[in-house]
Structure formats: structure tokens, C-alpha cells
Amino acid sequence: MNLNQATFLTSAPNLSRCPQGSIAEVAFAGRSNAGKSSALNRLTGINGLARTSKTPGRTQLINFFSLDEHHNLVDLPGYGFAKVPLKVRQQWQQDLGKYLREREALRGVIVLMDIRHPMTDNDRQMVEWSRWSGFPLHILLTKADKLKRGAAMNSLLKVQKIIDHEFPGVTAQIFSATKGAGVDEARRIILGWLTE
Ligand code: GDP
């Protein structure tokens, strides 16, 4: 299997409308503007697969990309965008929780965080939920090219410290969609989960 086989499958407004038939999927979650679409495009090598956001937080759809008949990548809506009405955000939290608890095909969650301000309250909640649901979780610290190497490593160390104290078992790495840093490592983890 190869991530560059990804093609758009469908958008679902909620869990009950998610496509049936997949046996393994990996979900991508992150704050609006964290770089989730750019990461999906880079990881698959397909420009324009996931739309990079002009209006963060607008679409509250779960987007499915199929790798083959039984394997999907799942783009969860960005969270934590202040301009999204509270009611919409609350509904989304419910849907997200339900997806994580009930989606049988889910094999792991990639959480994207801007390397310059990782582990916001929303990020922590996302990590908590995934752990309660019992999935492996891997963090991509995105836009690493925006920091010098030393500063990027410091951010990773800080995140790793938080993980050691609060979220044992979670893993993290540096990532840049623009420069390609960490792409191979992230691909290995995703393909490992999908083919386990
Ligand atoms: P999403 O809302 O999480 O899907 O985020 P996007 O992928 O749309 O990215 C948000 C903004 O960050 C866009 O302006 C991207 O061009 C920018 N961005 C995303 N990834 C990177 C990266 O690796 N490096 C840099 N410098 N900018 C990035």
C-alpha cells in the first residue's frame, strides 16, 4: 500500500453518514490552521487532495480519502477556531467524541500542532479523547521550517516532557509540509497502523 494512491472518497456530516466497508483508517485532527491539509497533501504527494483552508473552521465535514477498497485516510474538521459559533463547536465535539469511540475501523490518530504553540487546551483534549478511546496517537509538530533547528528541537523536547508526564505512550515528531522534514517518519507510522 502506498499513500500516493489516495483519492477523495466522500464527505460525511456526521458519524452515521461515514462510509461503510473500510477495515482500517487513520484520522488526522488538529486546530484550524495547524497545517492539516498541507500535511495530508505532502504525505500523499498529491497537491490539492485536501483543501488548504482559506476560511479556517468553515467546513464541519469529515472527509474520507481512500487508499484502496478497505483503507482510508480521514480528515477530521479543524477544531478551536474562535469564530465558529459555540453551538457548532459543541456539536462538533460531540460528533468527534462519537467518531473516536465508535468508529471500528479507526487504527490511529495523527494530531497536528503548530510547532510554535503546541499543546493548547483543545489539543490536550483531543489527545485525552484519543487515549481514552485506546488508539495509538502520534503528534506532528507542523511548520517546523518556521523555526531554527535548535528552537524546533526545544519545542519537541517540551512536548515530549508533557507526553512523559501526562500522556505516556503518545509519540511526537517534527514535521514540515513545505520543506519535507519528517515526511518519511510520519508515512512509516501511518502505513504501519494501516497494515498491522
Ligand atoms: P489546516 O487548516 O490545518 O488544514 O491548515 P492548512 O494546511 O490550510 O495551513 C494553514 C496555513 O499554514 C497555510 O497558509 C499554509 O500554507 C501554512 N502551512 C502549512 N504547513 C506549513 C509548513 O510546513 N510550513 C510553512 N511555512 N507553512 C505551512
Side-chain angles (χ1 to χ4, degrees):
M1 197 183 333
N2 200 318
L3 295 186
N4 66 20
Q5 292 162 243
T7 54
F8 177 76
L9 180 64
T10 188
S11 293
N14 56 49
L15 187 77
S16 61
R17 306 267 291 276
C18 289
Q20 302 299 313
S22 79
I23 51 173
E25 50 194 41
V26 169
F28 290 71
R31 249 179 116 184
S32 293
N33 214 40
K36 181 158 53 66
S37 310
S38 306
L40 270 161
N41 293 343
R42 182 74 194 216
L43 288 166
T44 57
I46 304 170
N47 278 334
L49 181 77
R51 286 214 205 105
T52 51
S53 38
K54 295 277 177 301
T55 356
R58 266 292 282 280
T59 46
Q60 301 285 318
L61 294 169
I62 307 175
N63 292 312
F64 289 82
F65 303 100
S66 100
L67 297 171
D68 62 30
E69 209 183 333
H70 298 299
H71 298 85
N72 296 332
L73 302 178
V74 184
D75 183 9
L76 299 169
Y79 50 75
F81 187 59
K83 280 188 190 159
V84 175
L86 183 64
K87 238 181 125 177
V88 176
R89 268 185 283 161
Q90 285 171 336
Q91 181 60 47
W92 167 235
Q93 284 195 351
Q94 273 183 26
D95 288 349
L96 180 63
K98 206 168 146 66
Y99 172 85
L100 294 173
R101 282 192 308 274
E102 296 180 16
R103 186 72 174 165
E104 276 182 24
L106 189 58
R107 292 290 173 270
V109 181
I110 300 281
V111 179
L112 298 100
M113 304 180 191
D114 190 317
I115 194 161
R116 295 165 298 175
H117 29 81
M119 290 291 188
T120 63
D121 289 348
N122 283 316
D123 291 332
R124 281 167 186 266
Q125 188 176 51
M126 184 68 221
V127 176
E128 278 290 336
W129 281 351
S130 302
R131 287 181 72 244
W132 286 336
S133 305
F135 299 113
L137 190 139
H138 184 66
I139 296 168
L140 300 186
L141 296 175
T142 61
K143 310 187 194 180
D145 58 283
K146 297 233 186 202
L147 294 180
K148 295 214 169 99
R149 188 163 168 78
M153 285 311 290
N154 272 340
S155 179
L156 176 62
L157 285 175
K158 265 190 210 154
V159 167
Q160 246 148 12
K161 235 183 202 166
I162 294 172
I163 288 173
D164 289 346
H165 282 113
E166 299 176 41
F167 312 115
V170 170
T171 50
Q173 66 160 97
I174 281 170
F175 189 85
S176 165
T178 308
K179 295 282 158 80
V183 169
D184 290 343
E185 186 182 352
R187 278 185 186 144
R188 259 199 308 278
I189 286 173
I190 294 161
L191 286 168
W193 287 346
L194 286 171
T195 55
E196 236 159 43

